[in-house]
């Protein structure tokens, strides 16, 4: 619950060392989540070996999702940081009709 960054959970459904229910609980309680990967049939330490191709595909997708989440957060921070006068000026400029001459 205290994680400040997006959380990506990979968990094998047949994990005997850490029950699958723990992975689900971690995901449910993460404040900022990346789509989890519940690996059907995987155990505790075999995902990157037995599911190698899917592992790298999922990891790449998670990094892309992480980047999008971080970009959205940065955009919100930028919008909050903009001075009020700058926001008003932008709104006024964007609402002015454009005059053209031939």
């Amino acid at each position: 619950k205290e994680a400040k960054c997006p959380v990506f959970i990979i968990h094998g459904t047949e994990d005997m060392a850490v029950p699958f229910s723990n992975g689900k609980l971690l995901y449910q309680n993460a404040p900022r989540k990346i789509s989890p990967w519940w690996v059907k049939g995987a155990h505790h330490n075999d995902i990157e070996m037995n599911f190698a191709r899917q592992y790298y595909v999922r990891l790449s997708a998670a990094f892309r999702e992480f980047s999008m989440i971080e970009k959205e957060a940065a955009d919100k921070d930028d919008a909050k940081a903009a001075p009020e006068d700058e926001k008003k000026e932008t709104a006024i400029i964007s609402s002015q009709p454009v005059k053209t001459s031939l």
Side-chain angles (χ1 to χ4, degrees):
K1 290 182 179 182
E2 296 179 21
K4 302 292 184 219
C5 64
V7 176
F8 177 48
I9 305 287
I10 301 173
H11 205 106
T13 60
E14 303 301 318
D15 189 336
M16 301 304 267
V18 178
F20 180 58
S21 59
N22 285 19
K24 285 186 162 186
L25 190 60
L26 281 172
Y27 179 73
Q28 290 169 355
N29 287 300
R32 298 175 68 200
K33 310 169 199 207
I34 290 178
S35 302
W37 182 28
W38 311 124
V39 189
K40 187 175 181 178
H43 298 277
H44 188 66
N45 285 328
D46 66 346
I47 295 172
E48 65 277 4
M49 292 183 329
N50 295 334
F51 302 87
R53 185 175 187 290
Q54 299 100 313
Y55 176 77
Y56 290 106
V57 167
R58 294 287 186 132
L59 200 55
S60 293
F63 282 126
R64 284 191 302 276
E65 194 172 337
F66 173 80
S67 294
M68 288 188 307
I69 290 169
E70 290 302 304
K71 183 181 180 326
E72 288 171 5
D75 290 347
K76 285 180 184 176
D77 289 344
D78 289 347
K80 287 179 186 175
E84 282 302 314
D85 290 341
E86 183 180 313
K87 289 179 187 176
K88 289 176 186 174
E89 184 177 318
T90 302
I92 293 169
I93 291 170
S94 63
S95 67
Q96 298 297 318
V98 176
K99 295 181 181 179
T100 58
S101 59
L102 297 174

